[in-house]
Every structure is written in C-alpha cells, then in structure tokens.
C-alpha cells in the first residue's frame, strides 16, 4: 500500500452526526446482558481472562490451563490444554433438556412445500449417521479436509456437524459460487472428498447443482488434486434432479449409502482447543483466495458468547439469521453460535422476495420469529419491492441485526420503523471472515443505536484507528485504518498453507517489534477504513485494499481481472466498484483489446460469462466497457481510481501525472454518455461513499 492512499483516507470528520435511538424498555427487561457491570468484566485490565466467561458457556472434556498463549506471535493460542468437541457442544449436550425442541426449522423455497422441523434428537441421529458414513465409507479422520459445496438445505449443517464430530476440517464453499471456484478451493485445502447436492430451488427454479461438481473436479485436477469421492445428497431423496450423469465408483447418492449407517452412533472425537474446526475462503488483494483457518475452542467460545450477548439468544427464542451458511455469518450465527446455546435456528432455502415481496414476513409471522438477522443488501431489496409489506403481517421482532456492509442511515430507519415496527433493538455488527465473530457493535440493552455506525468495539475487543505510520488517530478527528489492538478467541489461526501471507497481510503493517512476544506489539490490521466519533462509535467506510463488497460478499479485483483475462481478445482488464441501489456495490469491468480485435457486444458477453463461470453469478459485472487504452501511470500501472470516478460520476481526480491523460476524456465521454442513455446514473452519493470511491485503487 502506498503513502498516497493514507492521506486521502485520513479525511476530517465533518460528516453529519445521526441521532441516537435508545433500546426499547421491553427489550432491556429480558436481555442477557442488562447490567453495565459486564463492561468492567471485559475491560482491558481483565484481558485475557475475561474470555473465560465465553469459554464457560461450553462443555469441555478437559479444562484448559492457559487462557492465552502468546509465545509465537501472531499465532495466538486460546484455552491451551483444553479439549472439547464442537458437535457435542452443539447437539449432544442439549438432549437431556431439549431433546424435542427444534434445532432447525427449515423453510423450502416453494411455498406449497412443508416446513421441516429438525429437533435436537433428530439432529443428533442425522449427524451421527452421516459422521459414521464419513468415517467408515470415506475413511475420513481428524485433521482431514473435506470440501462442501452446498446450498441452504439442512444437509449442510448436518454435514458440518458430522465433520466436527470426527475432527474433520470442513471447507464449505458458497453454493452460488461456480464449480471452478469450488475446485480451486478443493485443491488449495487438499480435500479428496466433495459433498454436494443434485439440485436446489432458487427463485422458482430447481437449479442443477451437480453440474458444478464436474467443473469443480476438473478445476481441482488442473491444480493437481484428485477428488476420490463425491457424495451427492438429493433434494428429493430417491429422485435424481440433475442432468449430469453420476460417475461410477466416484459419485454416490447419500440417501442410498446412508441406509447402511441407520442408527449408528459415533463417539465425538475430543479435540484440542486449537485444532482447526473449519476453513472459509475469502478474497483479498491477490487472485488467490485465502483459506481462513478457524479453531475449535476459541472460535466456538467466541460465537457462543457473542450470540448470547449481542444476538441476545435464549433457548426459547425463534432466531432467523437470513444469511447463507456458505459465508462466515452463516457458520457463526446460523449454525455454531445459536446451536451452542440450544437455540431454534431458522433456515430458508430461497430468495427473500420469492414468490412476492411478502414472503420474508410470512415466514417470520408463521414461525413466530423474534430475532431477525440480515444484510443491508437484503433490506434494500425488501424495501424496494415491498416498502409497505411488513405491516401487513403479524410478527414482532425484539431484536434485529444488520451485517456485511455499511448501511445507509435512510435504509437503517426503514429497517427500524417498518421492519422492526419501532419495537426492536438493532445491532449493526462489523466484522470479517477472518474474525470468527463480531468486532464492532452496540451491546443491545446497554448502548444506544446510531444509524450508520456499528458502535464501539464489542466486549473484550479494543479497536484503534491508526494513521499510515501507526500513530493512533484521535476520536472525532479523521478517518484511518481500523485495527484491533488485542487478540481474541475468534480470530483465525492462519491462512491455510500460507502462514507467511497471514503475518504479512494482517500484522506486518503495524507490528511494533517482530521479536516481541507481547500481544500489545501486534495489532491486527483489518483492511477497513473507518472513523471514530467522539462518543467512541465507529463508522466503517469500507475496504482500503482492492476488494469490492458486492451485496455483502467480498470479491477481489485481481480475481475478477484474472477471470476477465481468460477471454482471448482481452489485453488488459481493470475491475472497479460502482454504487448500486440494491447490492451496495456492483462490479464494472474495463477492458482493452489485443491488436486486431474490434469492440463488440460478443466480447462484452464473453467477459461476463467468464466471470460467472470462474467465480459465480454474484460477481457478474453490471457493465463491461471496452476502451481504447487504460489510464496508466508513467510506470505502467492502471489507475483504477480514475475509472472508478468515471463509473460513479464522481470526477477523475488529478490526472496530470498519467502517462496518457488524453484517454481519460475519451473513456469518460463514452461511458458516461452510454450510462445517461441507459438511465443508469447514480443517485446523490453519501459522504462515506464519495470517500470510498476516491480512495479506491490506492492499494497499488
Ligand atoms: C468486510 C468483511 C462479517 C460477515 C459478512 C462479511 C464489510 C462487514 C460491516 C458493517 C460496514 C461492514 C467490511 C469488512 N463489513 N460488516 N456492519 N458495516 N461494513 O464478511 O465477506 O469477510 O467481509 O465487510 O468492509 O472488512 P466478509
């Protein structure tokens, strides 16, 4: 990252301050954390022992002797000496009291289909049977990696918990990702078993998902990895809903194989606290996604603790986190956190607005959901398609969460007044795939809400905003890079197979002394620009690296660009974010063609198709612009911020130092004229958005 980025990110705080909303009294009365003494328990003077409170929410086979081991920074170890099993903690231990309570309520997308209730007893049986299959049919054992490429069906958490039971490390890839993206992750994680499904419902269609397994296996093979077994669940057991043939000796229908494991019980394998529980890949500044490795004891403690205090989950609540389990939000706050607390967790298969804009609220009403958790992109879509729908349904939320992207204060207000009916508390939770659980949020009964701000650091998390040189930026002054000064139990352990990248990306920038074994010298660099108001609340601006957050999903510009470069006509490519009414950000791709090729609609379509095939539908660009040349510095670097300014109508900034300033005007004229014609001009941007676009691309 260059020096220039910094100065631009360090903008003065002159933004409008939003008003506070106090937590509703009815919420405070029943909250898990309503005594302010909790702040003292988690104050820095009590670190790291304060996290004993989270770990004590779990059942340990062997209690730990050391809360935090800092002997090999920044590879922190939590609850050292402790042993436990995550599946036991999420399932078995609840049987005595909650055997017949719903663990999951699964809502299939077709509205005529029956809702499926899976009790803790049923979950116990299904997890055990599938664990037996993984162990005895696939030969999997503790430490092995397995890749899952599953949509939102109950078989996904069942498979995760079955892996956890054996100490097998699961690696779930978002179901919407392409087969190729899945295959790269199979190879990187060294999995030789793939767990998938034949088909699932999305927006009214039964999608052929098994087709993606073929691409995945081919991509894995290209990277030198062999998939030996493919376990194929069937969306309708007994009926195969994919056109792709099953490969004999490699592909197996889970419902058929499971018949041999009926009623089998598998002893949960007692794992060391620091044994990896799962991998979750995420985008960064290079074309290669990073496999974030999460621990068993630290992670599970952290998601249990934050689910209790920040999601305010009680066993009698009906909790609906409307995210996909293929993302970290789903791992932490649909599966592990809620189940560790014996919650009832709702899972919905499909699209929020299928078959109409009332669907989400019908589900909430019918199931008696009282805690609702989703992302700004979903909130925006629900508002756009049905601003008055919530009031038609008789549901009542006590608590709502927003996560994954900055939420515009205006959207926040609709969430509060219309969705929450002025009765629900809101937490705006800031965190990342790498973090395991929340980093920034208000404690719902004890801290007032402020639209657009996530709030202060959560319990036991001490954030700081650093300037580029590592000097803390005082609250109420300027923006800078948000860092966490201390380790916490949910932090990932490493990037799988790339420990040096882990140190370099997250710790090198602000490490005060590489030889120090004192955690104070190793702040965690989150990669987000943020500013802190005088009240201590943080406002997250967005990524300071080359990552575009589309509908709450991280996409690396390098990944998008290398997918684009697979199209033979393309000589150069640059991906930039464009402010999007629904998805927060969308992607636009600028390309220059190799000599001899003429711009055409076909080439644009080829680029879009390449991105969809190599990454997934969510990455599909909003526009592909074929330009005569890319704006470049004298040293030949593409100036992404200049084209980002063009795409967003925010101006091109200073272009006098470019090698080819004349091309900027040509591009600007072409792109903007076309956009005006299509009616695709942005609304007035917020100050936060303007800052983000201005700072984009400075990472080079
Ligand atoms: C990036 C992490 C954490 C689960 C979902 C996304 C942005 C996340 C917020 C928020 C503003 C947010 C950040 C962060 N982000 N939550 N409440 N307000 N921005 O996980 O895919 O790892 O993305 O999402 O830029 O770095 P992820």
């Amino acid at each position: 990252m260059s020096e220039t980025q910094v100065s631009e990110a360090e903008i003065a705080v002159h933004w409008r301050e939003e008003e506070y909303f106090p937590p509703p009294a009815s919420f405070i009365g029943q909250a898990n954390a309503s005594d302010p003494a909790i702040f003292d328990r988690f104050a820095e003077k009590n670190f790291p022992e304060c996290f004993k409170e989270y770990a004590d929410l779990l059942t340990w086979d062997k209690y730990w002797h050391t809360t935090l081991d800092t002997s090999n920074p920044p590879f922190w170890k939590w609850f050292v000496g402790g042993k436990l099993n995550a599946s036991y903690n999420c399932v078995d231990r609840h049987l005595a009291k909650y055997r017949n309570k719903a663990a999951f309520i699964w809502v299939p997308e077709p509205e005529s289909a029956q809702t499926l209730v899976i009790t803790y007893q049923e979950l116990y049986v299904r997890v055990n049977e599938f664990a037996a299959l993984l162990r005895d049919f696939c030969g999997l054992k503790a430490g092995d990696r397995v890749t899952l490429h599953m949509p939102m069906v109950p078989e996904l958490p069942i498979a995760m918990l079955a892996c956890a039971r054996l100490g097998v490390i699961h690696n779930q890839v978002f179901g919407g990702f392409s087969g190729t993206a899945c295959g790269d992750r199979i190879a990187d994680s060294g999995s030789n078993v793939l767990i998938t499904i034949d088909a699932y419902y999305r927006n009214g269609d039964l999608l052929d998902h098994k087709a993606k397994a073929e691409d995945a296996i081919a991509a894995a093979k290209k990277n030198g990895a062999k998939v030996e077994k493919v376990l194929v669940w069937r969306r309708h057991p007994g009926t195969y809903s994919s056109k792709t043939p099953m490969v004999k000796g490699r592909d197996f229908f889970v419902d058929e194989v499971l018949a041999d494991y009926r009623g089998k019980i598998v002893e949960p394998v007692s794992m060391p606290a620091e044994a990896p529980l799962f991998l979750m890949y995420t985008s960064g500044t290079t074309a290669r996604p990073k496999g974030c490795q999460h621990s068993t004891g630290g992670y599970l403690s952290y998601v249990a603790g934050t689910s209790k205090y920040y999601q305010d989950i009680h066993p009698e609540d009906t909790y609906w986190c409307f995210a996909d389990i293929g993302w970290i939000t789903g791992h932490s706050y649909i599966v592990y956190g809620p189940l560790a607390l014996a919650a009832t967790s709702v899972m919905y298969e499909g699209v929020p607005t299928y078959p109409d804009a009332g669907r989400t609220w019908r589900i909430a009403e019918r199931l008696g959901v009282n805690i609702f958790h989703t992302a700004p992109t979903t909130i925006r879509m629900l508002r756009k398609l049905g601003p008055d729908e919530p009031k038609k349904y008789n549901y009542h939320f006590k608590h709502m969460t927003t996560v994954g992207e900055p939420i515009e204060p205006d959207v926040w207000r609709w969430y509060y007044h219309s969705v929450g009916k002025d009765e629900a508390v809101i937490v705006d939770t800031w965190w990342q795939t790498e973090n395991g659980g929340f980093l920034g949020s208000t404690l719902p009964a004890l801290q007032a809400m402020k639209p657009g701000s996530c709030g202060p650091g959560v319990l036991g998390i001490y954030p700081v905003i650093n300037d580029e040189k590592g000097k803390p930026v005082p609250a109420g002054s300027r923006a800078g890079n948000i860092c966490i000064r201390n380790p916490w139990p949910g932090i990932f352990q490493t990037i799988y197979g790339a420990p040096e990248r882990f140190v370099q990306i997250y710790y090198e920038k602000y490490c005060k002394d590489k030889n120090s074994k004192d955690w104070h010298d190793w702040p965690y660099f989150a990669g987000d620009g943020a500013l802190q108001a005088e009240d201590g609340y943080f406002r997250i601006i967005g990524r300071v690296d080359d990552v575009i957050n589309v509908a709450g999903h991280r996409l690396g510009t390098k990944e998008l660009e290398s997918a684009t470069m697979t199209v033979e006509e393309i000589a150069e490519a640059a991906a930039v974010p464009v402010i999007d009414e629904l998805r927060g950000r969308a992607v636009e791709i600028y390309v220059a063609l190799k000599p001899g090729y003429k711009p055409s609609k076909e080439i644009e379509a080829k680029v879009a198709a390449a991105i969809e095939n190599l990454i997934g539908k969510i990455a599909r660009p909003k526009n592909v612009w074929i330009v005569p040349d890319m704006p470049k510095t004298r040293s030949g670097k593409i100036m992404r911020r200049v084209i980002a300014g063009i795409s967003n109508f925010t101006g091109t900034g200073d272009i006098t130092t470019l090698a080819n300033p004349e091309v900027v005007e040509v591009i600007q004229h072409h792109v903007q004229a076309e956009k005006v014609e299509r009616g695709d001009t942005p609304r007035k941007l917020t100050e936060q958005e303007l800052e983000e676009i201005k700072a984009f691309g400075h990472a080079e």
Side-chain angles (χ1 to χ4, degrees):
M1 233 160 290
S2 71
E3 290 291 307
T4 48
Q5 173 207 347
V6 193
S7 37
E8 297 233 6
E10 289 173 23
I11 40 163
V13 180
H14 57 269
W15 298 350
R16 197 186 125 203
E17 275 294 310
E18 305 290 333
E19 73 282 25
Y20 292 106
F21 287 66
S26 55
F27 179 82
I28 299 172
Q30 59 80 62
N32 281 330
S34 56
D35 177 357
I38 198 167
F39 293 120
D40 189 59
R41 297 208 300 278
F42 282 87
E44 200 168 337
K45 62 175 196 281
N46 293 324
F47 179 86
E49 298 308 322
C50 52
F51 283 114
K52 174 176 168 3
E53 187 165 335
Y54 283 6
D56 284 344
L57 295 171
L58 305 181
T59 304
W60 295 78
D61 304 333
K62 190 167 163 245
Y63 210 65
W64 70 89
H65 51 71
T66 306
T67 307
L68 172 63
D69 171 353
T70 65
S71 61
N72 182 23
F75 301 91
W76 319 116
K77 286 189 182 144
W78 283 89
F79 311 125
V80 184
K83 289 185 111 181
L84 77 170
N85 181 279
S87 169
Y88 176 86
N89 270 280
C90 291
V91 187
D92 306 38
R93 68 171 178 149
H94 303 318
L95 293 178
K97 207 163 159 198
Y98 297 116
R99 187 178 296 274
N100 294 316
K101 178 182 186 291
F104 287 110
I105 303 179
W106 179 62
V107 183
E109 192 189 69
E111 209 163 2
S112 56
Q114 284 290 322
T115 293
L116 182 71
V117 175
I118 300 180
T119 61
Y120 275 94
Q121 168 69 17
E122 172 77 1
L123 185 63
Y124 172 76
V125 171
R126 294 194 64 183
V127 166
N128 271 283
E129 290 178 347
F130 194 61
L133 184 156
L134 292 177
R135 185 188 61 190
D136 301 341
F137 184 69
C138 301
L140 291 167
K141 53 179 191 326
D144 291 344
R145 280 84 50 218
V146 170
T147 298
L148 285 63
H149 194 201
M150 295 282 290
M152 284 293 283
V153 293
E155 288 75 13
L156 169 53
I158 287 169
M160 288 163 62
L161 293 163
C163 289
R165 202 165 186 85
L166 300 170
V168 168
I169 303 167
H170 58 75
N171 170 35
Q172 154 69 6
V173 177
F174 170 56
F177 270 164
S178 69
T180 309
C182 176
D184 293 344
R185 289 154 176 77
I186 291 175
D188 195 83
S189 64
S191 316
N192 51 28
V193 173
L194 170 65
I195 303 174
T196 186
I197 194 167
D198 61 343
Y200 64 99
Y201 288 96
R202 189 129 192 110
N203 222 356
D205 295 321
L206 184 59
L207 300 183
D208 186 339
H209 189 66
K210 169 65 166 47
K212 286 187 176 176
E214 299 306 321
D215 297 338
I217 290 160
K221 194 170 163 199
K222 243 200 203 153
N223 291 305
K226 180 149 190 268
V227 176
E228 273 147 26
K229 277 202 170 71
V230 183
L231 300 178
V232 184
W233 293 91
R234 285 191 278 193
R235 178 61 180 77
H236 298 287
T239 309
Y240 186 44
S241 306
S242 166
K243 289 208 179 66
T244 317
M246 294 286 282
V247 174
K248 220 172 164 280
R250 187 197 71 185
D251 300 355
F252 302 89
F253 290 132
V254 177
D255 52 313
E256 287 179 5
V257 184
L258 264 181
D260 297 338
Y261 299 92
R262 190 150 297 140
K264 280 259 174 345
I265 297 298
V266 173
E267 249 335 275
V269 179
S270 193
M271 300 299 291
E274 64 275 24
L277 178 62
F278 66 87
L279 303 180
M280 162 93 11
Y281 280 81
T282 192
S283 299
T285 46
T286 68
R288 196 166 145 218
K290 308 174 280 193
C292 298
Q293 177 184 312
H294 284 280
S295 73
T296 306
Y299 171 82
L300 200 62
S301 301
Y302 198 67
V303 296
T306 49
S307 293
K308 177 168 176 184
Y309 293 134
Y310 287 90
Q311 294 299 291
D312 199 53
I313 294 177
H314 304 61
E316 55 277 16
D317 289 321
T318 305
Y319 168 83
W320 183 13
C321 172
F322 196 173
D324 195 293
I325 297 177
W327 306 112
I328 191 73
T329 302
H331 275 50
S332 301
Y333 298 112
I334 298 178
V335 182
Y336 286 113
L339 292 202
L341 300 178
T344 294
S345 184
V346 175
M347 276 180 77
Y348 171 51
E349 179 178 30
V351 172
T353 51
Y354 179 83
D356 58 59
R359 182 67 189 277
T360 300
W361 318 124
R362 282 200 291 285
I363 294 171
E365 177 187 81
R366 188 178 172 108
L367 302 182
V369 171
N370 65 340
I371 308 179
F372 185 69
H373 182 157
T374 196
T377 186
T378 307
I379 304 169
R380 289 185 209 109
M381 195 197 314
L382 289 164
R383 175 166 85 152
K384 176 151 192 217
L385 299 186
D388 299 320
E389 286 299 302
K391 63 160 109 50
K392 298 183 192 158
Y393 297 93
N394 183 23
Y395 67 81
H396 295 277
F397 297 152
K398 68 165 185 179
H399 180 293
M400 304 192 299
T401 302
T402 167
V403 62
E405 329 151 51
I407 183 164
E408 300 80 358
D410 176 44
V411 176
W412 191 99
R413 285 193 185 87
W414 182 76
Y415 198 35
Y416 184 80
H417 296 303
S418 296
V419 177
K421 305 177 178 179
D422 295 322
E423 310 167 322
V425 76
I426 295 183
V427 290
D428 178 345
T429 58
W430 167 71
W431 60 298
Q432 316 168 299
T433 304
E434 293 88 336
N435 309 151
F438 306 145
L439 293 182
S441 170
T442 49
L443 195 54
L446 292 170
Q447 291 166 325
M449 308 165 247
K450 192 164 76 171
S453 296
C454 65
V458 300
L459 296 169
I461 298 286
Y462 321 118
V464 61
I465 299 212
N466 277 331
D467 71 12
E468 206 58 20
K469 296 196 177 69
K471 211 166 136 256
V473 176
S477 62
R478 283 163 292 129
N481 296 320
I482 188 163
C483 298
I484 309 300
R485 290 194 290 109
N486 61 304
W488 66 97
I491 181 71
F492 69 139
Q493 300 176 294
T494 187
I495 297 176
Y496 187 77
E500 63 303 324
R501 273 181 90 200
F502 169 75
V503 179
Q504 185 239 318
I505 297 171
Y506 301 96
Y507 293 98
E508 205 153 77
K509 188 175 176 79
Y510 290 124
C511 178
K512 291 176 197 137
D513 172 7
K514 277 196 182 140
N515 298 314
S516 169
K517 300 206 184 304
D518 179 351
W519 61 260
H520 293 88
D521 293 324
W522 293 87
Y524 168 82
F525 170 62
D528 275 328
L531 56 85
Q532 188 175 27
E534 266 162 32
D535 59 12
Y537 282 30
F538 293 95
R539 218 196 278 209
I540 307 297
I541 301 172
R543 305 290 310 183
V544 296
D545 53 13
D546 283 336
V547 167
I548 304 178
N549 189 335
V550 177
H553 307 315
R554 263 157 76 171
L555 300 172
T557 51
K558 294 283 190 311
E559 274 172 84
L560 292 157
E561 290 160 9
S562 45
T564 304
M565 297 296 285
T566 62
V567 176
E568 73 168 288
E569 293 90 340
I570 307 299
E572 282 181 313
V576 297
V578 53
I579 305 289
D580 184 88
E581 212 46 63
L582 290 180
R583 290 172 290 174
R585 307 289 171 272
V587 173
E588 294 204 349
I589 306 277
Y590 284 70
V591 294
L593 304 182
K594 287 179 188 157
Y597 289 109
K598 282 212 179 65
S600 71
K601 286 270 169 262
E602 286 70 44
I603 296 178
E604 291 175 23
K606 269 169 110 171
V607 168
I611 290 174
E612 192 172 326
N613 291 334
L614 293 168
I615 304 175
K617 254 206 184 99
I618 51 161
R620 226 186 135 81
K622 184 167 186 187
N623 288 302
V624 177
W625 303 111
I626 302 178
V627 297
D629 194 8
M630 297 285 181
K632 282 188 197 137
T633 61
R634 297 222 166 83
S635 58
K637 285 196 179 131
I638 299 177
M639 293 297 283
R640 290 192 184 76
R641 77 172 161 79
V642 173
I643 45 188
I646 293 174
S647 273
N648 290 284
F649 291 78
T650 52
T652 54
D654 180 14
I655 54 167
T656 52
T657 57
L658 294 193
N660 53 352
E662 66 294 339
V663 78
V664 174
E665 204 177 310
V666 178
I667 300 176
Q668 180 162 23
H669 180 77
H670 165 68
V671 169
Q672 294 188 344
E674 186 93 0
K675 283 193 167 216
V676 168
E677 192 163 308
R678 294 183 196 169
D680 178 17
T681 50
R683 59 168 160 75
K684 189 171 174 294
L685 303 193
T686 65
E687 289 152 316
Q688 211 159 323
E689 289 164 344
L690 276 171
E691 272 325 309
E692 184 196 319
I693 298 301
K694 233 167 66 189
F696 186 75
H698 275 294
E700 294 137 276

